[in-house]
């Protein structure tokens, strides 16, 4: 999710520039699939019981935004696609790392079985909160900048797309909060009351994911190229 999807996005950027200007019969079906995929994969996340499957489907939803922005072939669209790909690469990797820390201790990925981990791992719960807020593109993360560029680009291309992107953003916030509440809040099962503690290497890994996301907003030209 963090690397292979971004290689696909890079391939789209390289191929899409060769097809400029786009033939309408080629652009519209792919654009419709990309926009519809944002809603479908986001909706699928709301009914997931497997933690890693939820994170994986959320990655597909974000790449629908990237695909739509690349196809429009405008400077803002390509800037937003590049920014969101890098931001989501760090965010998705951090979410999978967090899911793995849960799995190493509970040996299950089912959301209904593992709840209330905030009581046992309060510091890890903080990482969960920050990563989910980043996944929701909350300010001041670089994810927000990428999504704003993409939504503005799609609105300029066709104003009705604001409905789809707006609904997709709301569903993204919904399943991100759902993932946080299902893993961290509630009463923990008696079989998970004694769990191994977290390690320094895990907190260092998450720091190396989230620190760049916070610092890149101070100089977004490093990854966007728009303000260089």
């Amino acid at each position: 999710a963090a690397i292979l999807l971004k290689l696909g996005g890079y391939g789209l950027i390289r191929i899409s520039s060769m097809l400029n200007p786009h033939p309408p019969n080629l652009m519209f079906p792919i654009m419709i699939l990309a926009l519809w995929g944002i809603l479908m994969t986001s909706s699928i996340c709301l009914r997931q019981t497997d933690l890693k499957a939820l994170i994986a489907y959320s990655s597909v939803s974000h790449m629908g935004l990237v695909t739509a922005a690349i196809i429009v072939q405008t400077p803002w669209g390509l800037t937003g696609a590049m920014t969101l790909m890098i931001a989501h690469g760090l965010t998705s990797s951090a979410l999978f790392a967090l899911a793995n820390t849960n799995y190493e201790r509970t040996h299950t990925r089912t959301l209904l079985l593992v709840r209330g981990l905030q009581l046992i791992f309060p510091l890890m719960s903080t990482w969960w909160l920050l990563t989910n807020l980043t996944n929701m593109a909350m300010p001041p993360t670089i994810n927000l900048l990428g999504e704003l560029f993409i939504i503005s680009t799609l609105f300029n291309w066709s104003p009705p797309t604001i409905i789809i992107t707006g609904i997709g953003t709301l569903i993204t916030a919904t399943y991100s909060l759902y993932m946080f509440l299902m893993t961290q809040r509630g009463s923990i099962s008696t079989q998970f009351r004694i769990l191994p503690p977290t390690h320094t290497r895990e907190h260092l890994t998450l720091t190396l994911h989230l620190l760049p996301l916070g610092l890149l907003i101070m100089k977004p030209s490093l990854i966007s190229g728009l303000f260089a």
Side-chain angles (χ1 to χ4, degrees), residues 44-98:
I44 288 173
C45 290
L46 294 175
R47 62 182 299 275
Q48 285 299 317
T49 58
D50 189 301
L51 180 58
K52 285 192 175 181
L54 196 161
I55 298 170
Y57 275 113
S58 72
S59 300
V60 180
S61 171
H62 284 89
M63 286 306 294
L65 278 172
V66 171
T67 303
I70 291 173
I71 292 173
V72 176
Q73 277 291 296
T74 61
W76 272 45
L78 294 176
T79 297
M82 185 69 67
T83 304
L84 188 58
M85 280 195 294
I86 294 174
H88 181 260
L90 293 167
T91 305
S92 178
S93 181
L95 285 172
F96 275 115
L98 285 167

Side-chain angles (χ1 to χ4, degrees), residues 186-212:
S187 58
I188 192 167
S189 175
T190 55
Q191 61 181 332
F192 297 129
R193 290 191 184 277
I194 300 177
L195 295 175
T198 55
H199 304 295
T200 304
R201 60 175 174 82
E202 295 169 337
H203 296 291
L204 178 60
T205 300
L206 294 167
T207 302
L208 293 176
H209 279 90
L210 294 179
L211 189 61

Side-chain angles (χ1 to χ4, degrees), residues 8-156:
Y10 172 74
L12 284 174
I13 292 175
R14 295 299 297 267
I15 294 175
S16 183
S17 61
M18 296 168 57
L19 301 175
N20 194 22
H22 294 294
N25 57 351
L26 175 66
M27 181 174 70
F28 285 113
I30 300 176
M31 180 67 78
I32 291 171
L33 285 175
L35 293 173
W36 188 243
I38 296 171
L39 296 181
M40 287 298 98
T41 51
S42 298
S43 302
I44 288 173
C45 290
L46 294 175
R47 62 182 299 275
Q48 285 299 317
T49 58
D50 189 301
L51 180 58
K52 285 192 175 181
L54 196 161
I55 298 170
Y57 275 113
S58 72
S59 300
V60 180
S61 171
H62 284 89
M63 286 306 294
L65 278 172
V66 171
T67 303
I70 291 173
I71 292 173
V72 176
Q73 277 291 296
T74 61
W76 272 45
L78 294 176
T79 297
M82 185 69 67
T83 304
L84 188 58
M85 280 195 294
I86 294 174
H88 181 260
L90 293 167
T91 305
S92 178
S93 181
L95 285 172
F96 275 115
L98 285 167
N100 186 63
T101 60
N102 284 7
Y103 182 76
E104 285 181 347
R105 288 160 178 80
T106 62
H107 303 289
T108 180
R109 300 197 304 260
T110 305
L111 291 170
L112 294 175
L113 295 179
V114 184
R115 304 187 68 178
L117 291 180
Q118 181 183 7
L119 298 173
I120 303 177
F121 305 122
L123 182 56
M124 194 60 71
S125 181
T126 303
W127 290 121
W128 272 103
L129 177 62
L130 292 175
T131 310
N132 277 286
L133 290 177
T134 305
N135 196 47
M136 292 163 53
M138 292 289 287
T141 58
I142 200 71
N143 304 59
L144 177 65
L145 183 66
E147 290 197 10
L148 285 178
F149 274 126
I150 292 175
I151 292 173
S152 301
T153 299
L154 295 177
F155 180 78
N156 187 52

